[in-house]
Amino acid sequence: VSLGEFDLIARYFDAPAPGAVLGIGDDCALWSPSPGQHLALSCDTLVEGRHFLPDVDPIALGHKALAVNLSDLAACGARPCCFLLAATLPRVDEPFLAGFSQGLRALAAAHRIDLVGGNTTAGPLAFTLTVMGEVPPGQALLRSAAQPGDDLWVSGTLGEARLALMALQGQVKLGTAQLRQARVALEQPQPQVALGLALRGVARAAIDLSDGLLADLGHILQRSGPTGRPLGARIACDALPLGTVLQSQPVAMQQACALAGGDDYQLCFTAAASAATQVAAAGERCGVRLTKIGCLLEPGAGVQVNDGHGRVLATPQQGFDHFRVAPA
Amino acid sequence: VSLGEFDLIARYFDAPAPGAVLGIGDDCALWSPSPGQHLALSCDTLVEGRHFLPDVDPIALGHKALAVNLSDLAACGARPCCFLLAATLPRVDEPFLAGFSQGLRALAAAHRIDLVGGNTTAGPLAFTLTVMGEVPPGQALLRSAAQPGDDLWVSGTLGEARLALMALQGQVKLGTAQLRQARVALEQPQPQVALGLALRGVARAAIDLSDGLLADLGHILQRSGPTGRPLGARIACDALPLGTVLQSQPVAMQQACALAGGDDYQLCFTAAASAATQVAAAGERCGVRLTKIGCLLEPGAGVQVNDGHGRVLATPQQGFDHFRVAPA
């Protein structure tokens, strides 16, 4: 801990936290939760070279660092309340910190939540955020609540974040306008907080898509089935909602990005078939596109991905790795 | 995020969390706070090469990663409830993770708190923990509550962690038995949680000693004084409680380590002179040595460190850096 830490905190991160009893500046933040609510807690780390490139726009990085955490609250149907930031910085880079703080604060303001505490230390560039949300007891959306026969839904569009990353890494060639559009998906994901709230009591299981649809769906299937016997699922590949830039790519690229791309930060959730109207209404209320992409099957049925001609493209025996693009 | 993340979590970190509504394995942990309590929130990061050496004992590191965070709760008089762990790992080193987990869990069990969530990612070795505690409204110990005339107290002994670090870095020569003893202070700090609870309603301001007595006291003085006019303080150097290994060192080394050493994780607090009996009783109840090392002065009086002959050793004009040992 350097003596400069306190100046840094004051300059870039110490703003009033009206939602807190006590914000930044003491050993702990103090916060008064709403009576009778459960707290939803999550933390996520972004590391340079792993989750973002050295030349990242700091405003976009500040946005994304909070967005990926709010996405976890969204997946539980929790209302965001406040967050803490642990920043590890190799040096004092004021323009970078100013940008990071700006992006972070803009998204926090949009969700009316406060940065209530945290710490900075010297070290390799990384940011760990811990978010706190509230959800009424029994109303959280859990990975473990899916049932065979449920419809399988996703919000928004899939795969374009991975396409942008591949373009930035020179693995795919995109036009300037196309790259600019795809980068929005990669760098400015919008956590589906309002949708998560609207799906309380409507959806059964939910998860946010950070590692790619097949991998993340796998967690729902595993936790919703009996021990060691994950539920199965059938996905109609043609139904996957793709962004317009990804639509211009070859079908194999579309499928790889949408099924295993990662970094989508959309919600994947299941709901009883009888709840389809309510699901659609929740999407309309939130202004979020919702797409039914398949259904859940009995334990042992595996994961079947069908193309438009009814052919099976992948099964869990072929493994999620089959579609997995090399990690960043 | 690698596919191996989930195995790692399961093997080393996913234990039952009876205090939580929902522990590790979903997008969020769910936890039900006690009615009517305020939450105390804090996070701290340990980075390899900065906060620990590459050859650190992983059991000790797991202990310390949680201890430094519990120490923040102790400084607020909060009761620890649960915590999250964000681990950034350069590789899967199973013996290291097993040791880290063992040290972490042992201290968590001693304080009856659960690891309820977190995440692991690839990157330079670092651990960020976020701790949650509870404190009745209005009873938290704050840095801002000191008053001129207050007695100044510290718990335990000071400076031996820094002495151990200097010995490990070859800047000081210690015998084998001495080094072993001093390393306990550096690697196995015991957060003064029980003392923090016992000081509710007894102490005024409190802080935990992580950056060194003068630096940390400076935060109390700054936040307790009017804006821009920190309170003053007088410290009797001879009164500083030193561990037995540090007592064998030259006086200049004793003073440097005790005043500016850092990594003590003892509590420094102020209390009205009329509360001295209650303070002593709190220490006895907790089995913790408490030492009155000075008193607080009016704003503008500066920080005076007096030796046994009444001579002033340091003032804030000379700066805290005067005593500051080079950071690790």
Side-chain angles (χ1 to χ4, degrees):
Chain A
V1 179
S2 72
L3 288 178
E5 173 185 2
F6 306 102
D7 292 335
L8 277 183
I9 291 172
R11 189 164 311 164
Y12 296 110
F13 298 116
D14 186 6
V21 177
L22 181 72
I24 288 173
D26 214 299
D27 291 280
C28 295
L30 294 176
W31 175 60
S32 178
S34 307
Q37 300 280 299
H38 280 172
L39 293 186
L41 308 167
S42 186
C43 64
D44 251 320
T45 302
L46 299 191
V47 180
E48 184 181 42
R50 181 85 192 171
H51 303 97
F52 58 91
L53 304 171
D55 64 348
V56 66
D57 170 11
I59 299 176
L61 182 62
H63 170 96
K64 188 163 179 176
L66 182 55
V68 304
N69 278 281
L70 292 180
S71 185
D72 283 316
L73 292 180
C76 285
R79 183 181 301 282
C81 296
C82 61
F83 67 106
L84 294 94
L85 167 68
T88 307
L89 308 170
R91 64 194 161 276
V92 177
D93 177 343
E94 300 222 10
F96 178 88
L97 285 171
F100 182 88
S101 171
Q102 181 185 332
L104 187 77
R105 293 201 167 283
L107 187 61
H111 289 273
R112 297 167 187 238
I113 61 172
D114 295 318
L115 173 61
V116 296
N119 88 311
T120 61
T121 188
L125 191 62
F127 299 93
T128 298
L129 276 76
T130 302
V131 289
M132 266 142 288
E134 291 180 342
V135 60
Q139 291 191 33
L141 305 173
L142 304 182
R143 296 180 180 178
S144 55
Q147 296 182 17
D150 278 1
D151 288 337
L152 181 63
W153 297 82
V154 293
S155 67
T157 61
L158 306 180
E160 215 148 271
R162 171 59 67 161
L163 183 66
L165 182 61
M166 294 176 78
L168 290 172
Q169 293 180 328
Q171 299 167 31
V172 171
K173 185 121 186 77
L174 293 181
T176 308
Q178 282 192 315
L179 178 57
R180 192 183 312 123
Q181 186 179 333
R183 280 181 83 147
V184 173
L186 177 65
E187 297 178 348
Q188 310 255 15
Q190 296 300 326
Q192 297 290 353
V193 170
L195 179 63
L197 296 175
L199 290 175
R200 283 182 189 166
V202 174
R204 282 196 174 123
I207 193 169
D208 77 313
L209 295 177
S210 54
D211 295 341
L213 175 61
L214 287 181
D216 291 318
L217 172 61
H219 298 308
I220 286 182
L221 301 179
Q222 187 162 24
R223 290 184 69 89
S224 294
T227 304
R229 301 198 65 228
L231 297 186
R234 185 184 298 123
I235 295 173
C237 219
D238 281 6
L240 294 173
L242 308 178
T244 51
V245 179
L246 188 54
Q247 285 174 22
S248 70
Q249 293 292 310
V251 168
M253 176 66 75
Q254 290 178 12
Q255 291 175 354
C257 287
L259 289 168
D263 256 357
D264 292 311
Y265 300 104
Q266 296 295 340
L267 295 189
C268 170
F269 59 95
T270 82
S274 61
T277 311
Q278 287 173 277
V279 169
E284 277 189 28
R285 218 158 54 236
C286 301
V288 176
R289 174 179 174 180
L290 297 181
T291 308
K292 191 168 95 173
I293 61 168
C295 63
L296 296 211
L297 305 174
E298 296 293 331
V303 176
Q304 305 164 15
V305 181
N306 298 321
D307 70 6
H309 309 286
R311 288 177 303 215
V312 172
L313 291 177
T315 75
Q317 285 71 41
Q318 291 169 334
F320 300 147
D321 280 340
H322 179 72
F323 277 103
R324 202 158 176 84
V325 183
Chain B
V1 180
S2 72
L3 287 178
E5 172 184 3
F6 306 103
D7 292 335
L8 276 183
I9 291 172
R11 186 163 314 162
Y12 296 109
F13 298 114
D14 187 5
V21 177
L22 182 72
I24 289 173
D26 214 298
D27 291 280
C28 295
L30 294 176
W31 176 60
S32 178
S34 307
Q37 300 279 300
H38 280 171
L39 292 185
L41 309 167
S42 187
C43 63
D44 251 319
T45 303
L46 298 190
V47 180
E48 183 181 42
R50 181 85 194 170
H51 303 96
F52 58 91
L53 303 172
D55 64 348
V56 66
D57 170 10
I59 299 176
L61 183 62
H63 171 96
K64 187 163 180 177
L66 182 55
V68 303
N69 278 281
L70 292 179
S71 185
D72 283 317
L73 292 181
C76 285
R79 182 182 300 283
C81 295
C82 61
F83 67 106
L84 294 95
L85 167 67
T88 307
L89 308 170
R91 62 194 164 275
V92 176
D93 177 343
E94 299 221 10
F96 178 88
L97 283 172
F100 182 88
S101 172
Q102 182 186 331
L104 187 77
R105 293 201 167 284
L107 188 62
H111 289 273
R112 299 167 186 236
I113 60 173
D114 296 318
L115 174 61
V116 296
N119 87 310
T120 61
T121 188
L125 190 61
F127 299 93
T128 298
L129 275 77
T130 303
V131 289
M132 265 143 290
E134 291 180 341
V135 60
Q139 291 190 33
L141 305 174
L142 304 182
R143 296 180 181 179
S144 55
Q147 297 182 15
D150 277 1
D151 288 338
L152 181 63
W153 297 82
V154 294
S155 67
T157 61
L158 306 180
E160 213 147 272
R162 171 60 66 161
L163 183 67
L165 182 61
M166 293 176 79
L168 291 172
Q169 293 179 329
Q171 299 167 32
V172 171
K173 184 120 186 79
L174 293 181
T176 308
Q178 284 193 315
L179 178 58
R180 192 183 312 120
Q181 187 180 332
R183 279 181 84 148
V184 173
L186 178 66
E187 298 177 347
Q188 310 256 14
Q190 296 300 326
Q192 296 291 354
V193 170
L195 178 62
L197 295 175
L199 289 176
R200 284 182 190 167
V202 175
R204 283 198 174 121
I207 192 169
D208 77 314
L209 295 178
S210 55
D211 294 341
L213 176 61
L214 288 181
D216 291 319
L217 173 61
H219 298 310
I220 287 183
L221 301 180
Q222 186 162 24
R223 289 184 70 89
S224 294
T227 304
R229 301 199 64 227
L231 297 186
R234 185 183 300 122
I235 296 173
C237 219
D238 280 6
L240 295 173
L242 309 177
T244 52
V245 180
L246 188 54
Q247 285 173 20
S248 70
Q249 293 293 310
V251 169
M253 176 68 75
Q254 292 179 10
Q255 291 175 353
C257 287
L259 290 168
D263 256 356
D264 293 310
Y265 301 105
Q266 296 295 340
L267 295 189
C268 170
F269 59 96
T270 82
S274 61
T277 311
Q278 287 174 277
V279 169
E284 275 187 30
R285 221 160 50 238
C286 301
V288 176
R289 172 178 175 183
L290 297 182
T291 308
K292 190 167 95 173
I293 61 168
C295 62
L296 296 210
L297 305 175
E298 296 293 331
V303 176
Q304 306 166 14
V305 182
N306 298 322
D307 70 6
H309 309 286
R311 287 177 303 213
V312 172
L313 291 177
T315 74
Q317 284 72 40
Q318 293 167 333
F320 301 147
D321 281 339
H322 180 72
F323 276 102
R324 202 159 177 82
V325 184

